Amino acid sequence: ETGVTQTPRHLVMGMTNKKSLKCEQHLGHNAMYWYKQSAKKPLELMFVYNFKEQTENNSVPSRFSPECPNSSHLFLHLHTLQPEDSALYLCASSLGTSGTGELFFGEGSRLTVL
Amino acid sequence: SQQGEEDPQALSIQEGENATMNCSYKTSINNLQWYRQNSGRGLVHLILIRSNEREKHSGRLRVTLDTSKKSSSLLITASRAADTASYFCAMGGEGNTPLVFGKGTRLSVIA
């Protein structure tokens, strides 16, 4: 148990579906992140939230829509995805948004887009 | 922009041997961190070394940092089959910039 919980762990969706990934952290952290991990690529930072405010959007296509209702919860809403969006989506949290502290990761949501 | 490059990409060793992984980066850092990822799971933080430190130990892990060469190494001593995983370095830059991860080294420890 890492303190960061992601659901669902596995998701298969068609290109026209709408689905959401959920992340919850129980660590009292202020910052939350979405990362995308594809085969043979470095971990890609997608979004950063600090105290519910988005502080970073790494040129992510609009078919990915993040939502952070409070410091403990983070969602990634998915709409009209492409097969190349199939990947492991990792949520992480940290005390602050600077790169000076460690990140705590969830177990990931494995997404397959058909 | 910052990029991390781990070397080797894959490493296979026998149980009991030492494993060394290297990480090189491009721009100045505040700290460098190492993470471990078991197949299909999340990343787990192993160790953080600050830019003014040269060496750090944690159990069977030893991390070195050479800021003049912009490189770091992770040594796992007396490896075990359970150490089989991917290992990533992550660079923490100056200011409020998020960590930048490398592509990782895939370590296989054969019993």
Side-chain angles (χ1 to χ4, degrees), chain B residues 13-34:
Chain B
I13 59 173
Q14 297 288 325
E15 208 167 28
E17 294 180 339
N18 295 341
T20 300
M21 288 157 270
N22 302 297
C23 171
S24 59
Y25 57 91
K26 292 191 173 183
T27 62
S28 63
I29 58 170
N30 172 283
N31 69 89
L32 189 142
Q33 304 180 30
W34 286 91

Side-chain angles (χ1 to χ4, degrees), chain A residues 37 97-99 101 103 106-107, chain B residues 31 33 35 37 41-42 96-97:
Chain A
Q37 187 176 36
T97 54
S98 69
L103 294 179
E107 296 284 43
Chain B
N31 69 89
Q33 304 180 30
Y35 288 78
Q37 183 182 34
R41 309 290 293 273
N96 202 27
T97 54

